Amino acid sequence: MFPQNRLQRRLCVCLFLYQLYYFKGRGICSLPVSTHKQASDVSNSSGLVFLKRRSNVDSEQRRHALGFFAMGNTCSNLGIPPAKGPNAVGCTDFMMDHTAQGSFFRLYYPCQENEKAEKADWVPCVEYFNGLADFLKINRALSERIFNYLFGSFKIPASVDAPFKSSEKCPVVIFSHGLGAFRTLYSAICAELASQGFIVASVEHRDQSAAATYYFREKTESEKANKNEPKTSTSTQDNLVREWMYYRNLQHGESEFPLRNKQVKQRADECILALDRLTEINSGTPVQNVLQTQFDWTTLENSMDLCRTAAVGHSFGGATVIEALCKEVKFKCGVALDSWMFPLDDEIFPRVKQPIFFINSEKFQWAGNISRMKKLESAVIQRKMITIRGTVHQSFPDFTFLTGNWIGKLMKLKGEIDPEIAIDLCNKATLAFLQRHLGLQKNFNQWDPLIDGQDDNLIQGTNITVLQSSM
């Protein structure tokens, strides 16, 4: 999901500058006035904050500092935009089979409207911040404070465990996250699809490409005997212990392709497994959710139109979409958002028979990657490609909405285009493509021109020049 090397350096610079700014304000360090002014100007725009929650730190000062620092200018309203469809959106987490081989996803769905319903946390717990720190190769203790302070209070535009409600059967989307991400970071896309009548399973991959994920193991006899052992969670079975799995970095001298190729195959299998689990739920087969949420899974019986199923994913998830289409014909089409094609074997390209829609950012792609996308071009199967002007690779995950202009652009979380305009174009084009190839009786065809790049903010095809010799 993140470009590690340059982003890591930017983070370190930002942290250093902000600490100078913060400790100067606390009387702990001293800088010449001109130097301090410059440091504070930069740090106020850098997007990360090192503020301890001390009782003697005035909350209003803290809020003011955070606002300037995270947002880059003034305390404007940051947050993930609400979904625009006619349905309210609920979400719940599902884990079937507590082992690492089980299925784990966040489900987004149309729900009963309730303005007082609790919204889900964007980042579920602190271990995910630790995973992001590992992925970015920065200190956990420091980054935990930073990430929790900056992002810990954000909610997603979906109500936790809200009752399912739909007047018709819902088409299904399986969503695959990018490298270093996890199941909750694409809520602007997933919630929008759910608001338009889809049931969306956002898979959390266990191939060690996620920043963090978890499964459970059974307690040992000694752990069972230890009455002082803290409970793993109030929402899981008492005989289970949570085990965390973090991002796996390449080892020194290790070739990357074998690892990524193995991971993309596992990721595709996990997407197929999620679809299999939804098929069981839809058929009325009793399922046991290890997480024991409040959601009533029996309400989903006969709720899904499993003849209308698609795969959608970003970056590594885009490659996962293509691998999944090759492996499972139940996926009728795929949407690959700024796909990273490197993990895929060339041999699978002619075996993919479903329509594919590539929606790319303007700044991430390069000739070699585009040339691999073009290997999927077909005279008989629709393969479309558009590029959203002014976007970067991180214009698809939710981070783009949670930082202001200065820090967003510094860390490549924002492009030149308004992020809400970019995600709106992405979502509308996706919906139009899904209607066309899933045979939906909706009004999404009003956005058909977007599929062909017919908008001032779109480019038909790509902005990258690809030489014939690289094809």
Side-chain angles (χ1 to χ4, degrees):
M1 183 186 69
F2 289 109
Q4 289 175 272
N5 47 5
R6 286 179 292 177
L7 178 55
Q8 181 187 348
R9 289 196 293 269
R10 291 189 184 103
L11 284 167
C12 291
V13 171
C14 293
L15 287 169
F16 173 72
L17 291 172
Y18 186 72
Q19 286 179 68
L20 292 179
Y21 168 75
Y22 175 66
F23 289 124
K24 168 64 178 177
R26 303 291 299 162
I28 299 171
C29 70
S30 179
L31 288 172
V33 173
S34 59
T35 307
H36 172 65
K37 176 68 165 64
Q38 185 179 15
S40 65
D41 285 346
V42 174
S43 64
N44 281 346
S45 305
S46 62
L48 297 172
V49 64
F50 182 47
L51 283 175
K52 293 184 179 179
R53 295 179 178 270
R54 300 178 184 175
S55 59
N56 62 337
V57 177
D58 183 86
S59 61
E60 182 63 21
Q61 289 179 331
R62 194 166 58 227
R63 184 195 66 81
H64 182 75
L66 174 62
F68 269 87
F69 189 58
M71 301 170 198
N73 36 47
T74 58
C75 289
S76 58
N77 291 322
L78 294 180
I80 301 161
K84 297 181 177 181
N87 300 290
V89 179
C91 72
T92 191
D93 287 327
F94 179 83
M95 185 186 294
M96 186 171 176
D97 179 356
H98 63 269
T99 70
Q101 288 70 48
S103 187
F104 186 23
F105 54 80
R106 172 159 287 186
L107 196 75
Y108 296 82
Y109 52 88
C111 75
Q112 295 179 19
E113 193 155 8
N114 182 355
E115 292 182 0
K116 296 182 179 179
E118 178 189 359
K119 299 299 183 185
D121 290 332
W122 183 54
V123 176
C125 57
V126 71
E127 284 82 1
Y128 287 98
F129 291 135
N130 291 337
L132 288 171
D134 291 352
F135 180 72
L136 297 171
K137 300 180 180 178
I138 57 178
N139 179 270
R140 275 191 180 188
L142 179 61
S143 62
E144 180 183 320
R145 293 194 190 105
I146 294 165
F147 289 139
N148 191 48
Y149 200 98
L150 281 176
F151 303 120
S153 63
F154 283 115
K155 304 286 185 178
I156 69 170
S159 301
V160 181
D161 295 335
F164 171 76
K165 180 184 178 182
S166 179
S167 59
E168 57 187 352
K169 286 191 174 184
C170 301
V172 173
V173 165
I174 307 297
F175 190 92
S176 175
H177 64 71
L179 193 71
F182 39 92
R183 72 188 186 283
T184 68
L185 297 189
Y186 295 85
S187 66
I189 294 172
C190 295
E192 178 61 25
L193 292 174
S195 79
Q196 301 287 355
F198 288 79
I199 286 177
V200 183
S202 180
V203 176
E204 189 159 285
H205 292 294
R206 265 81 168 271
D207 62 330
Q208 295 183 289
S209 68
T213 187
Y214 64 93
Y215 58 95
F216 294 91
R217 63 170 175 82
E218 295 184 6
K219 285 184 177 179
T220 63
E221 291 302 319
S222 61
E223 287 172 329
K224 290 177 183 177
N226 184 4
K227 303 298 183 182
N228 297 322
E229 187 79 19
K231 289 185 69 175
T232 298
S233 170
T234 57
S235 61
T236 53
Q237 300 169 34
D238 289 342
N239 65 327
L240 298 179
V241 177
R242 186 176 298 195
E243 290 284 337
W244 282 92
M245 178 188 296
Y246 292 104
Y247 176 78
R248 179 195 180 297
N249 283 295
L250 281 172
Q251 304 302 310
H252 180 70
E254 181 182 11
S255 176
E256 185 167 16
F257 179 77
L259 172 63
R260 302 306 182 205
N261 184 249
K262 179 182 178 182
Q263 287 176 324
V264 79
K265 287 175 166 56
Q266 179 176 333
R267 285 166 142 260
D269 289 341
E270 289 170 341
C271 289
I272 295 166
L273 182 59
L275 180 58
D276 290 343
R277 293 295 177 245
L278 291 181
T279 302
E280 293 173 14
I281 292 167
N282 191 63
S283 71
T285 302
V287 296
Q288 183 178 20
N289 184 8
V290 179
L291 303 178
Q292 298 180 351
T293 63
Q294 298 301 307
F295 183 72
D296 183 0
W297 291 91
T298 64
T299 61
L300 293 180
E301 183 177 351
N302 205 31
S303 66
M304 300 173 226
D305 187 347
L306 293 168
C307 293
R308 294 180 167 88
T309 301
V312 180
H314 171 244
S315 193
F316 204 171
T320 305
V321 165
I322 296 163
E323 184 77 30
L325 294 182
C326 180
K327 288 187 168 189
E328 180 52 81
V329 296
K330 291 177 184 176
F331 292 116
K332 302 305 181 187
C333 64
V335 180
L337 308 174
D338 225 15
S339 182
W340 179 44
M341 302 294 287
F342 172 76
L344 296 167
D345 290 306
D346 282 348
E347 65 169 19
I348 77 163
F349 296 151
R351 291 162 45 201
V352 180
K353 304 302 182 184
Q354 302 95 316
I356 301 172
F357 190 16
F358 292 102
I359 303 179
N360 294 335
S361 72
E362 186 177 10
K363 301 298 183 182
F364 174 72
Q365 294 297 333
W366 64 99
N369 208 50
I370 295 292
S371 69
R372 302 202 82 206
M373 294 180 191
K374 287 183 173 292
K375 288 181 179 179
L376 285 154
E377 289 181 345
S378 168
V380 294
I381 305 168
Q382 189 168 82
R383 303 285 162 74
K384 291 287 189 177
M385 183 188 299
I386 61 172
T387 301
I388 306 176
R389 295 182 190 275
T391 50
V392 295
H393 196 50
Q394 303 305 322
S395 293
F396 299 92
D398 296 334
F399 275 108
T400 192
F401 305 109
L402 306 181
T403 52
N405 261 346
W406 211 99
I407 176 56
K409 290 177 180 177
L410 176 71
M411 293 175 63
K412 304 296 184 186
L413 299 175
K414 286 183 187 291
E416 296 301 322
I417 191 173
D418 182 318
E420 291 198 31
I421 293 175
I423 210 70
D424 192 51
L425 286 167
C426 174
N427 287 336
K428 287 176 177 176
T430 296
L431 287 165
F433 189 82
L434 293 178
Q435 170 155 328
R436 179 181 294 182
H437 295 288
L438 297 182
L440 304 177
Q441 300 300 312
K442 300 281 189 178
N443 65 347
F444 306 151
N445 56 347
Q446 65 181 300
W447 301 311
D448 275 354
L450 301 182
I451 298 174
D452 296 310
Q454 295 178 29
D455 185 274
D456 290 345
N457 288 307
L458 297 178
I459 300 168
Q460 184 176 15
T462 179
N463 59 313
I464 302 298
T465 301
V466 180
L467 299 177
Q468 193 66 30
S469 58
S470 65
M471 296 288 288

